Amino acid sequence: MLMPMRIRHIFYKKADTAMKTTLIALSFVALQAVILAPPALADGKEVNLYSYRQAFLIQPILDRFTEQSGIRVNVVFAKKGMLERIRAEGANSPADAVLTADIGRLSDMVEAGVLAPVKSAILEQNIPARYRHPGGLWFGLTTRARVLLVSKERVKPGMVTSYEDLANPELKGKICIRSGKHLYNISLIASVIAHKGPAAAEKWLRGLKANLARKPQGNDRAQAKAVYEGVCDVGISNTYYMGKMQTNEKKPQQKKWAAAVNIVFPNQADRGTHVNISGAAVLKGSRRKAAAIKLIEFLSGDFAQKIYARQNFEYPVKPGVELHPIVKSWGAFKADTMNLARVSSYRREASKMVDKIGFNY
Ligand code: FE
C-alpha cells in the first residue's frame, strides 16, 4: 500500500464530502510514502512542505531552489485541513514549513502554537515589517488588495471611494459580496475594527448589510458577474481575481465580467486599502529548520518574487520587484500600513459581529 514512493504531490480540488474524506485519507498515505521513501537524504538536504498554494504557482520556483541549494523539496498540496493534519500528527509531523494564503490561516496556526519563531536578516530585509509577524512566526510572500469592483456603466468616478462608503444609504440595494464569514471578509472587517473601533465597525457593517442587493453568496468572481448582469453596481473582491477573469481562456465569459467593472482601491485619501497576504511559516516540530528557513528566504528573493506573484496576479512583497503587466495596469495604490498580525487579532471579534448582525441572512 505504501508503494507509491514516487508520489510527491497530492493535489485535490473541489470534491463532495465523501470524496474529501477519501482524499484526506489518501493524502495521509501519500505523505507516509514521502516520509518512508528511502533513501532519506542527509540533514540539510531536504525539506517537507505542506502547501495550500497550487502546484502551478510554486513548482518552477521550488525546482530552481533545489538546483541552487541542493535541497530537495517534498510537497504535499492540500485544499483544506492542513492545521488539523499538523495537529493530528503532533510531534511526529514530517512537515517543516507551510505555504498558505490569507492571514487568517497563518493566525490560526499561531494560535494553535504550531509555528516556530524565525530570525532572518534576509527575510527582514526583503519583507516589509507590516507583512511579517513581529515575533517571526510567519512571513508574507505576496499581497492582494481587497478592492471594489464597480460598474463602469452605473458608478460614476468618485461615487464610492472607501469601505465606509459601502454603508452610505445612496448605495441601497447596489452592493454584492460573498459570505461575511469567508476569511477574506473576516480579515477586511477585522481591519475596520482595528482602525475604527468595534462600535463604529458594527454600525458600518449594519449599513453595508442594509445596502446589499442580495444575500451574501458565491465567490469573489461571482460578485463581478453580478455587476455584469446588473444585479448590483459594486462588488467586493481580491485583486488577483480580476487578472484571472481578464485572461480566462477556458471560461471566456469571465472576460466580460471583468470588462464590466473598474477597480476602486478604497481609502486612498486616508488609511489605504486593506491588503492580505499569502505567506510561509516554519513549524515548531520541524527537524530541518535551517533548510526550511533557506527555502522561505529563497521565496522572498528577487527570482521567486517575480514569478510567484505574477503567476496569480498578486503583488510581490519585496519592494521594487516588477509587476505583471496586467497588475501594473490597475495602477499604483496606497496600502494600509497596519501590521497584519494586529489586524488579525480582531478576526474573532469580526466573526462574532457577522453573526450578531445576521450579515449573511
Ligand atoms: Fe482566493
Side-chain angles (χ1 to χ4, degrees):
M1 189 172 133
L2 293 177
M3 288 307 284
M5 294 192 305
R6 303 248 169 244
I7 295 181
R8 287 175 63 199
H9 305 154
I10 281 291
F11 174 38
Y12 46 95
K13 291 185 93 163
K14 283 171 194 153
D16 62 35
T17 312
M19 265 297 268
K20 261 182 210 158
T21 315
T22 318
L23 285 168
I24 288 167
L26 183 69
S27 67
F28 267 103
V29 172
L31 189 60
Q32 297 264 332
V34 167
I35 307 149
L36 298 176
L41 295 177
D43 254 9
K45 285 294 165 198
E46 67 180 336
V47 61
N48 297 330
L49 182 63
Y50 284 11
S51 178
Y52 272 135
R53 308 238 73 193
Q54 302 170 32
F56 82 95
L57 279 173
I58 59 168
Q59 198 57 57
I61 304 169
L62 298 180
D63 290 345
R64 174 66 81 95
F65 171 70
T66 301
E67 248 174 69
Q68 286 192 0
S69 66
I71 299 169
R72 185 173 78 186
V73 186
N74 306 310
V75 195
V76 175
F77 291 101
K79 268 266 175 188
K80 272 190 175 159
M82 188 193 290
L83 177 56
E84 290 70 19
R85 186 191 304 182
I86 290 165
R87 270 184 171 145
E89 290 165 347
N92 296 320
S93 177
D96 299 303
V98 294
L99 270 189
T100 181
D102 202 276
I103 185 61
R105 290 214 177 92
L106 291 164
S107 298
D108 284 345
M109 290 189 191
V110 172
E111 284 163 25
V114 300
L115 301 182
V118 168
K119 182 93 184 130
S120 155
I122 293 175
L123 292 176
E124 283 171 25
Q125 199 190 333
N126 287 347
I127 307 170
R130 64 180 186 264
Y131 302 133
R132 289 187 259 122
H133 184 270
L137 290 175
W138 47 255
F139 296 88
L141 293 171
T142 64
T143 70
R144 59 276 293 280
R146 196 127 185 89
V147 294
L148 312 180
L149 302 182
V150 306
S151 166
K152 278 182 184 168
E153 277 177 14
R154 303 182 298 278
V155 176
K156 292 186 192 77
M159 214 170 123
V160 199
T161 62
S162 68
Y163 299 113
E164 285 77 358
D165 284 349
L166 298 176
N168 189 329
E170 280 174 25
L171 289 176
K172 196 164 185 65
K174 293 191 183 338
I175 302 173
C176 285
I177 190 168
R178 77 192 302 167
S179 166
K181 297 290 265 189
H182 189 274
L183 75 180
Y184 299 159
N185 284 335
I186 290 295
S187 294
L188 170 61
I189 296 163
S191 85
V192 177
I193 299 174
H195 282 284
K196 315 281 282 191
E202 187 178 323
K203 193 171 172 229
W204 166 75
L205 196 61
R206 286 183 190 277
L208 167 54
K209 176 182 162 55
N211 284 344
L212 295 180
R214 59 180 187 183
K215 279 183 193 173
Q217 59 194 267
N219 54 21
D220 279 2
R221 278 185 255 206
Q223 315 314 317
K225 178 174 187 252
V227 173
Y228 166 75
E229 289 170 344
V231 174
C232 44
D233 293 353
V234 180
I236 295 147
S237 172
N238 286 350
T239 36
Y240 54 89
Y241 289 114
M242 268 301 271
K244 285 169 175 269
M245 290 187 291
Q246 286 175 326
T247 57
N248 202 325
E249 299 302 336
K250 278 190 194 155
K251 296 174 183 167
Q253 68 272 27
Q254 293 195 1
K255 292 182 183 180
K256 291 184 191 161
W257 308 348
V261 297
N262 283 320
I263 294 182
V264 170
F265 290 94
N267 297 76
Q268 293 304 287
D270 44 65
R271 67 180 181 273
T273 299
H274 168 64
V275 159
N276 211 311
I277 53 169
S278 79
V282 175
L283 290 161
K284 200 155 81 180
S286 166
R287 289 175 287 274
R288 290 159 291 264
K289 286 200 177 82
I293 293 168
K294 259 189 204 161
L295 172 61
I296 299 174
E297 287 174 346
F298 182 80
L299 293 174
S300 76
D302 285 302
F303 173 81
Q305 281 287 297
K306 189 171 167 187
I307 300 182
Y308 195 28
R310 284 173 80 103
Q311 307 257 47
N312 199 40
F313 304 101
E314 291 179 82
Y315 297 89
V317 279
K318 187 170 189 278
V321 174
E322 203 183 317
L323 302 178
H324 188 291
I326 286 179
V327 175
K328 204 173 171 184
S329 76
W330 302 333
F333 72 99
K334 176 173 137 189
D336 187 344
T337 57
M338 187 183 284
N339 188 293
L340 278 177
R342 186 161 160 225
V343 170
S344 93
S345 70
Y346 294 97
R347 282 183 315 128
R348 194 156 291 131
E349 205 171 342
S351 180
K352 277 188 191 156
M353 199 178 278
V354 168
D355 286 336
K356 183 183 170 191
I357 73 158
F359 187 81
N360 284 347
Y361 305 100

Short mmCIF file of all heavy atoms in Angstrom, two decimals, residues 95-152:
data_model
loop_
_atom_site.label_atom_id
_atom_site.label_comp_id
_atom_site.label_asym_id
_atom_site.label_seq_id
_atom_site.Cartn_x
_atom_site.Cartn_y
_atom_site.Cartn_z
N ALA A 95 6.22 17.65 8.59
CA ALA A 95 6.22 18.95 7.93
C ALA A 95 7.24 19.89 8.56
O ALA A 95 7.38 19.95 9.78
CB ALA A 95 4.83 19.57 8.02
N ASP A 96 7.94 20.58 7.70
CA ASP A 96 8.92 21.58 8.17
C ASP A 96 8.40 22.99 7.98
O ASP A 96 8.71 23.88 8.76
CB ASP A 96 10.23 21.42 7.37
CG ASP A 96 10.83 20.05 7.58
OD1 ASP A 96 11.08 19.70 8.75
OD2 ASP A 96 11.01 19.33 6.58
N ALA A 97 7.65 23.19 6.90
CA ALA A 97 7.19 24.54 6.59
C ALA A 97 5.82 24.46 5.93
O ALA A 97 5.44 23.42 5.38
CB ALA A 97 8.17 25.24 5.67
N VAL A 98 5.09 25.57 6.02
CA VAL A 98 3.79 25.64 5.35
C VAL A 98 3.78 26.86 4.43
O VAL A 98 4.44 27.86 4.69
CB VAL A 98 2.62 25.77 6.36
CG1 VAL A 98 2.49 24.51 7.19
CG2 VAL A 98 2.78 26.99 7.25
N LEU A 99 3.01 26.71 3.37
CA LEU A 99 2.74 27.84 2.45
C LEU A 99 1.24 28.00 2.38
O LEU A 99 0.53 27.03 2.08
CB LEU A 99 3.21 27.48 1.04
CG LEU A 99 4.62 27.79 0.58
CD1 LEU A 99 4.69 27.52 -0.92
CD2 LEU A 99 5.04 29.20 0.92
N THR A 100 0.76 29.18 2.64
CA THR A 100 -0.69 29.34 2.63
C THR A 100 -1.08 30.76 2.25
O THR A 100 -0.24 31.67 2.25
CB THR A 100 -1.28 28.97 4.00
OG1 THR A 100 -2.69 29.12 3.96
CG2 THR A 100 -0.75 29.85 5.11
N ALA A 101 -2.36 30.91 1.90
CA ALA A 101 -2.86 32.24 1.59
C ALA A 101 -3.75 32.71 2.72
O ALA A 101 -4.39 31.90 3.38
CB ALA A 101 -3.63 32.22 0.28
N ASP A 102 -3.80 33.96 2.92
CA ASP A 102 -4.62 34.67 3.91
C ASP A 102 -4.05 34.63 5.32
O ASP A 102 -3.70 33.58 5.85
CB ASP A 102 -6.07 34.17 3.95
CG ASP A 102 -6.98 35.24 4.54
OD1 ASP A 102 -7.09 35.33 5.77
OD2 ASP A 102 -7.51 36.04 3.76
N ILE A 103 -4.01 35.78 5.89
CA ILE A 103 -3.53 35.97 7.25
C ILE A 103 -4.35 35.14 8.25
O ILE A 103 -3.83 34.70 9.29
CB ILE A 103 -3.55 37.47 7.62
CG1 ILE A 103 -2.93 37.71 9.00
CG2 ILE A 103 -4.94 38.07 7.55
CD1 ILE A 103 -1.50 37.31 9.08
N GLY A 104 -5.61 34.87 7.92
CA GLY A 104 -6.46 34.09 8.81
C GLY A 104 -5.88 32.70 9.08
O GLY A 104 -5.81 32.24 10.22
N ARG A 105 -5.44 32.05 8.02
CA ARG A 105 -4.89 30.70 8.18
C ARG A 105 -3.59 30.73 8.96
O ARG A 105 -3.32 29.86 9.79
CB ARG A 105 -4.67 30.06 6.81
CG ARG A 105 -5.96 29.73 6.09
CD ARG A 105 -5.82 28.46 5.25
NE ARG A 105 -7.07 28.11 4.61
CZ ARG A 105 -7.41 28.52 3.39
NH1 ARG A 105 -6.60 29.28 2.69
NH2 ARG A 105 -8.57 28.15 2.88
N LEU A 106 -2.77 31.73 8.68
CA LEU A 106 -1.50 31.84 9.41
C LEU A 106 -1.76 32.13 10.89
O LEU A 106 -1.12 31.56 11.77
CB LEU A 106 -0.62 32.93 8.78
CG LEU A 106 -0.09 32.59 7.38
CD1 LEU A 106 0.44 33.84 6.69
CD2 LEU A 106 1.01 31.53 7.45
N SER A 107 -2.72 32.99 11.15
CA SER A 107 -3.04 33.33 12.54
C SER A 107 -3.59 32.12 13.29
O SER A 107 -3.30 31.95 14.48
CB SER A 107 -4.05 34.48 12.59
OG SER A 107 -3.49 35.62 11.98
N ASP A 108 -4.39 31.30 12.61
CA ASP A 108 -4.90 30.09 13.25
C ASP A 108 -3.73 29.21 13.70
O ASP A 108 -3.77 28.59 14.76
CB ASP A 108 -5.78 29.28 12.29
CG ASP A 108 -7.16 29.92 12.11
OD1 ASP A 108 -7.53 30.79 12.94
OD2 ASP A 108 -7.85 29.56 11.14
N MET A 109 -2.70 29.16 12.88
CA MET A 109 -1.53 28.34 13.23
C MET A 109 -0.75 28.94 14.39
O MET A 109 -0.23 28.22 15.24
CB MET A 109 -0.63 28.16 12.01
CG MET A 109 -1.28 27.28 10.97
SD MET A 109 -0.14 26.83 9.66
CE MET A 109 -1.31 26.11 8.51
N VAL A 110 -0.69 30.27 14.42
CA VAL A 110 -0.05 30.93 15.57
C VAL A 110 -0.80 30.55 16.84
O VAL A 110 -0.21 30.12 17.84
CB VAL A 110 -0.06 32.47 15.40
CG1 VAL A 110 0.42 33.16 16.68
CG2 VAL A 110 0.81 32.89 14.22
N GLU A 111 -2.13 30.68 16.77
CA GLU A 111 -2.95 30.39 17.96
C GLU A 111 -2.87 28.93 18.37
O GLU A 111 -2.95 28.62 19.56
CB GLU A 111 -4.40 30.82 17.71
CG GLU A 111 -4.56 32.33 17.80
CD GLU A 111 -5.85 32.84 17.18
OE1 GLU A 111 -6.82 32.06 17.09
OE2 GLU A 111 -5.87 34.02 16.77
N ALA A 112 -2.70 28.06 17.41
CA ALA A 112 -2.58 26.63 17.73
C ALA A 112 -1.20 26.30 18.29
O ALA A 112 -0.96 25.17 18.74
CB ALA A 112 -2.86 25.80 16.48
N GLY A 113 -0.30 27.25 18.24
CA GLY A 113 1.03 27.03 18.82
C GLY A 113 1.90 26.08 18.03
O GLY A 113 2.79 25.44 18.59
N VAL A 114 1.68 25.98 16.71
CA VAL A 114 2.46 25.01 15.94
C VAL A 114 3.62 25.64 15.16
O VAL A 114 4.37 24.94 14.48
CB VAL A 114 1.56 24.21 14.94
CG1 VAL A 114 0.48 23.43 15.70
CG2 VAL A 114 0.92 25.12 13.90
N LEU A 115 3.77 26.96 15.28
CA LEU A 115 4.82 27.62 14.48
C LEU A 115 6.06 27.95 15.31
O LEU A 115 5.98 28.18 16.52
CB LEU A 115 4.27 28.90 13.86
CG LEU A 115 3.05 28.74 12.94
CD1 LEU A 115 2.65 30.09 12.36
CD2 LEU A 115 3.34 27.74 11.82
N ALA A 116 7.19 27.97 14.63
CA ALA A 116 8.47 28.29 15.29
C ALA A 116 8.87 29.71 14.93
O ALA A 116 8.72 30.13 13.78
CB ALA A 116 9.55 27.32 14.81
N PRO A 117 9.38 30.48 15.89
CA PRO A 117 9.88 31.81 15.56
C PRO A 117 11.15 31.70 14.72
O PRO A 117 11.98 30.83 14.95
CB PRO A 117 10.19 32.44 16.92
CG PRO A 117 10.32 31.30 17.87
CD PRO A 117 9.54 30.15 17.32
N VAL A 118 11.24 32.58 13.73
CA VAL A 118 12.40 32.58 12.84
C VAL A 118 13.03 33.96 12.86
O VAL A 118 12.33 34.98 12.79
CB VAL A 118 11.96 32.24 11.39
CG1 VAL A 118 13.08 32.52 10.40
CG2 VAL A 118 11.50 30.80 11.29
N LYS A 119 14.34 33.98 12.97
CA LYS A 119 15.05 35.25 12.90
C LYS A 119 15.95 35.17 11.67
O LYS A 119 16.80 34.29 11.59
CB LYS A 119 15.88 35.41 14.19
CG LYS A 119 16.64 36.70 14.30
CD LYS A 119 15.83 37.76 15.06
CE LYS A 119 16.61 39.08 15.07
NZ LYS A 119 15.82 40.20 14.64
N SER A 120 15.71 36.06 10.71
CA SER A 120 16.50 36.00 9.48
C SER A 120 16.68 37.41 8.93
O SER A 120 15.70 38.10 8.65
CB SER A 120 15.77 35.14 8.43
OG SER A 120 16.16 35.51 7.13
N ALA A 121 17.93 37.81 8.80
CA ALA A 121 18.22 39.15 8.27
C ALA A 121 17.71 39.27 6.84
O ALA A 121 17.22 40.33 6.44
CB ALA A 121 19.72 39.41 8.33
N ILE A 122 17.77 38.19 6.09
CA ILE A 122 17.31 38.22 4.68
C ILE A 122 15.81 38.48 4.63
O ILE A 122 15.32 39.32 3.88
CB ILE A 122 17.67 36.90 3.96
CG1 ILE A 122 19.19 36.78 3.83
CG2 ILE A 122 16.99 36.81 2.60
CD1 ILE A 122 19.68 35.47 3.25
N LEU A 123 15.07 37.76 5.46
CA LEU A 123 13.61 37.94 5.47
C LEU A 123 13.24 39.34 5.95
O LEU A 123 12.32 39.97 5.43
CB LEU A 123 12.94 36.87 6.33
CG LEU A 123 13.03 35.45 5.78
CD1 LEU A 123 12.43 34.44 6.76
CD2 LEU A 123 12.33 35.34 4.43
N GLU A 124 13.98 39.82 6.94
CA GLU A 124 13.68 41.17 7.45
C GLU A 124 13.98 42.23 6.41
O GLU A 124 13.32 43.26 6.34
CB GLU A 124 14.46 41.43 8.74
CG GLU A 124 13.82 40.72 9.92
CD GLU A 124 14.64 40.75 11.19
OE1 GLU A 124 15.47 41.68 11.35
OE2 GLU A 124 14.46 39.83 12.01
N GLN A 125 14.98 41.96 5.60
CA GLN A 125 15.34 42.92 4.56
C GLN A 125 14.35 42.87 3.39
O GLN A 125 13.98 43.91 2.83
CB GLN A 125 16.75 42.62 4.07
CG GLN A 125 17.37 43.81 3.35
CD GLN A 125 18.67 43.41 2.66
OE1 GLN A 125 19.35 42.47 3.09
NE2 GLN A 125 19.00 44.09 1.60
N ASN A 126 13.95 41.67 3.01
CA ASN A 126 13.10 41.52 1.82
C ASN A 126 11.63 41.86 2.07
O ASN A 126 10.93 42.25 1.14
CB ASN A 126 13.19 40.09 1.28
CG ASN A 126 14.52 39.82 0.60
OD1 ASN A 126 15.28 40.74 0.32
ND2 ASN A 126 14.80 38.55 0.34
N ILE A 127 11.17 41.63 3.29
CA ILE A 127 9.73 41.73 3.56
C ILE A 127 9.44 42.91 4.48
O ILE A 127 9.95 42.96 5.60
CB ILE A 127 9.21 40.42 4.19
CG1 ILE A 127 9.60 39.22 3.32
CG2 ILE A 127 7.70 40.48 4.40
CD1 ILE A 127 9.36 37.87 3.98
N PRO A 128 8.61 43.86 4.02
CA PRO A 128 8.26 44.99 4.89
C PRO A 128 7.65 44.49 6.21
O PRO A 128 6.94 43.48 6.23
CB PRO A 128 7.20 45.75 4.07
CG PRO A 128 7.46 45.35 2.65
CD PRO A 128 7.98 43.95 2.69
N ALA A 129 7.93 45.21 7.28
CA ALA A 129 7.54 44.76 8.63
C ALA A 129 6.05 44.46 8.74
O ALA A 129 5.65 43.55 9.45
CB ALA A 129 7.96 45.81 9.65
N ARG A 130 5.23 45.21 8.02
CA ARG A 130 3.79 45.01 8.20
C ARG A 130 3.30 43.68 7.64
O ARG A 130 2.20 43.23 7.93
CB ARG A 130 3.00 46.17 7.60
CG ARG A 130 3.12 46.36 6.10
CD ARG A 130 2.26 47.55 5.71
NE ARG A 130 2.16 47.77 4.30
CZ ARG A 130 2.92 48.64 3.61
NH1 ARG A 130 3.89 49.30 4.22
NH2 ARG A 130 2.71 48.82 2.32
N TYR A 131 4.12 43.07 6.80
CA TYR A 131 3.76 41.77 6.24
C TYR A 131 4.52 40.62 6.88
O TYR A 131 4.63 39.53 6.31
CB TYR A 131 3.99 41.78 4.72
CG TYR A 131 3.20 42.86 4.01
CD1 TYR A 131 3.81 43.68 3.06
CD2 TYR A 131 1.85 43.05 4.28
CE1 TYR A 131 3.10 44.67 2.41
CE2 TYR A 131 1.13 44.05 3.63
CZ TYR A 131 1.77 44.86 2.70
OH TYR A 131 1.05 45.84 2.06
N ARG A 132 5.09 40.87 8.08
CA ARG A 132 5.77 39.80 8.83
C ARG A 132 5.18 39.78 10.24
O ARG A 132 4.85 40.83 10.79
CB ARG A 132 7.25 40.15 9.03
CG ARG A 132 8.11 40.08 7.83
CD ARG A 132 9.56 40.28 8.28
NE ARG A 132 10.03 41.63 8.03
CZ ARG A 132 10.49 42.46 8.95
NH1 ARG A 132 10.53 42.10 10.23
NH2 ARG A 132 10.91 43.66 8.62
N HIS A 133 5.11 38.60 10.83
CA HIS A 133 4.73 38.53 12.24
C HIS A 133 5.85 39.17 13.07
O HIS A 133 7.02 38.91 12.82
CB HIS A 133 4.54 37.05 12.64
CG HIS A 133 4.06 36.87 14.04
ND1 HIS A 133 4.94 36.74 15.11
CD2 HIS A 133 2.81 36.83 14.56
CE1 HIS A 133 4.23 36.61 16.22
NE2 HIS A 133 2.94 36.67 15.92
N PRO A 134 5.48 40.02 14.04
CA PRO A 134 6.50 40.73 14.82
C PRO A 134 7.47 39.77 15.54
O PRO A 134 8.62 40.12 15.76
CB PRO A 134 5.70 41.53 15.85
CG PRO A 134 4.30 41.56 15.34
CD PRO A 134 4.11 40.38 14.45
N GLY A 135 7.00 38.58 15.85
CA GLY A 135 7.87 37.61 16.51
C GLY A 135 8.47 36.60 15.54
O GLY A 135 9.02 35.59 15.97
N GLY A 136 8.35 36.84 14.24
CA GLY A 136 8.96 35.94 13.25
C GLY A 136 8.21 34.63 13.05
O GLY A 136 8.77 33.66 12.56
N LEU A 137 6.91 34.59 13.43
CA LEU A 137 6.18 33.32 13.31
C LEU A 137 5.67 33.07 11.89
O LEU A 137 5.44 31.93 11.51
CB LEU A 137 5.02 33.28 14.31
CG LEU A 137 5.44 33.16 15.78
CD1 LEU A 137 4.22 33.25 16.70
CD2 LEU A 137 6.18 31.85 16.05
N TRP A 138 5.46 34.11 11.12
CA TRP A 138 5.10 33.93 9.71
C TRP A 138 5.64 35.08 8.87
O TRP A 138 5.95 36.15 9.41
CB TRP A 138 3.59 33.77 9.50
CG TRP A 138 2.70 34.77 10.20
CD1 TRP A 138 1.94 34.54 11.32
CD2 TRP A 138 2.46 36.15 9.84
NE1 TRP A 138 1.26 35.68 11.67
CE2 TRP A 138 1.56 36.68 10.78
CE3 TRP A 138 2.93 36.98 8.82
CZ2 TRP A 138 1.11 38.01 10.74
CZ3 TRP A 138 2.48 38.30 8.78
CH2 TRP A 138 1.59 38.80 9.72
N PHE A 139 5.72 34.85 7.57
CA PHE A 139 6.28 35.84 6.65
C PHE A 139 5.40 35.93 5.42
O PHE A 139 5.13 34.91 4.78
CB PHE A 139 7.71 35.45 6.26
CG PHE A 139 8.64 35.45 7.44
CD1 PHE A 139 8.79 34.31 8.23
CD2 PHE A 139 9.34 36.59 7.79
CE1 PHE A 139 9.61 34.32 9.34
CE2 PHE A 139 10.16 36.62 8.90
CZ PHE A 139 10.31 35.47 9.68
N GLY A 140 4.95 37.13 5.08
CA GLY A 140 4.18 37.32 3.86
C GLY A 140 5.11 37.19 2.65
O GLY A 140 6.27 37.59 2.70
N LEU A 141 4.57 36.61 1.57
CA LEU A 141 5.37 36.46 0.35
C LEU A 141 4.75 37.16 -0.85
O LEU A 141 5.45 37.59 -1.76
CB LEU A 141 5.56 34.97 0.04
CG LEU A 141 6.41 34.21 1.06
CD1 LEU A 141 6.36 32.71 0.80
CD2 LEU A 141 7.86 34.70 1.03
N THR A 142 3.42 37.25 -0.84
CA THR A 142 2.73 38.02 -1.87
C THR A 142 1.60 38.78 -1.19
O THR A 142 1.16 38.38 -0.12
CB THR A 142 2.10 37.13 -2.96
OG1 THR A 142 1.08 36.31 -2.38
CG2 THR A 142 3.13 36.25 -3.64
N THR A 143 1.14 39.84 -1.84
CA THR A 143 -0.02 40.54 -1.29
C THR A 143 -1.12 40.65 -2.34
O THR A 143 -0.87 40.54 -3.54
CB THR A 143 0.33 41.97 -0.80
OG1 THR A 143 0.60 42.81 -1.92
CG2 THR A 143 1.52 41.96 0.14
N ARG A 144 -2.32 40.85 -1.83
CA ARG A 144 -3.51 41.04 -2.66
C ARG A 144 -4.38 42.07 -1.95
O ARG A 144 -4.49 42.05 -0.72
CB ARG A 144 -4.25 39.72 -2.88
CG ARG A 144 -4.74 39.00 -1.61
CD ARG A 144 -3.74 38.11 -0.90
NE ARG A 144 -3.34 36.94 -1.63
CZ ARG A 144 -4.07 35.82 -1.72
NH1 ARG A 144 -5.20 35.70 -1.05
NH2 ARG A 144 -3.65 34.80 -2.43
N ALA A 145 -4.93 42.96 -2.72
CA ALA A 145 -5.75 44.01 -2.13
C ALA A 145 -7.23 43.60 -2.21
O ALA A 145 -7.64 42.95 -3.16
CB ALA A 145 -5.53 45.31 -2.87
N ARG A 146 -7.99 43.96 -1.20
CA ARG A 146 -9.44 43.71 -1.23
C ARG A 146 -10.09 44.99 -1.75
O ARG A 146 -10.13 46.01 -1.05
CB ARG A 146 -9.94 43.33 0.16
CG ARG A 146 -11.32 42.70 0.11
CD ARG A 146 -11.40 41.36 0.82
NE ARG A 146 -12.69 40.70 0.66
CZ ARG A 146 -13.01 39.87 -0.34
NH1 ARG A 146 -12.13 39.57 -1.28
NH2 ARG A 146 -14.20 39.31 -0.41
N VAL A 147 -10.56 44.90 -2.97
CA VAL A 147 -10.99 46.11 -3.67
C VAL A 147 -12.47 46.10 -4.02
O VAL A 147 -13.15 45.08 -3.86
CB VAL A 147 -10.18 46.31 -4.98
CG1 VAL A 147 -8.72 46.58 -4.67
CG2 VAL A 147 -10.33 45.10 -5.90
N LEU A 148 -12.93 47.21 -4.52
CA LEU A 148 -14.30 47.31 -5.00
C LEU A 148 -14.28 47.17 -6.53
O LEU A 148 -13.45 47.80 -7.19
CB LEU A 148 -14.90 48.67 -4.61
CG LEU A 148 -14.71 49.06 -3.14
CD1 LEU A 148 -15.34 50.42 -2.86
CD2 LEU A 148 -15.26 47.99 -2.21
N LEU A 149 -15.14 46.33 -7.03
CA LEU A 149 -15.31 46.22 -8.47
C LEU A 149 -16.61 46.93 -8.80
O LEU A 149 -17.69 46.46 -8.44
CB LEU A 149 -15.36 44.74 -8.89
CG LEU A 149 -14.14 43.90 -8.51
CD1 LEU A 149 -14.30 42.46 -9.02
CD2 LEU A 149 -12.85 44.50 -9.05
N VAL A 150 -16.49 48.09 -9.43
CA VAL A 150 -17.67 48.92 -9.62
C VAL A 150 -18.08 48.96 -11.09
O VAL A 150 -17.24 48.94 -11.99
CB VAL A 150 -17.45 50.36 -9.09
CG1 VAL A 150 -16.99 50.34 -7.64
CG2 VAL A 150 -16.47 51.14 -9.96
N SER A 151 -19.36 49.02 -11.31
CA SER A 151 -19.90 49.04 -12.67
C SER A 151 -19.35 50.23 -13.45
O SER A 151 -19.44 51.37 -13.00
CB SER A 151 -21.43 49.12 -12.61
OG SER A 151 -21.92 49.45 -13.90
N LYS A 152 -18.81 49.94 -14.62
CA LYS A 152 -18.31 51.03 -15.49
C LYS A 152 -19.47 51.91 -15.94
O LYS A 152 -19.33 53.12 -16.09
CB LYS A 152 -17.63 50.43 -16.73
CG LYS A 152 -16.19 50.02 -16.49
CD LYS A 152 -15.56 49.47 -17.77
CE LYS A 152 -14.17 48.97 -17.49
NZ LYS A 152 -13.62 48.18 -18.62
#
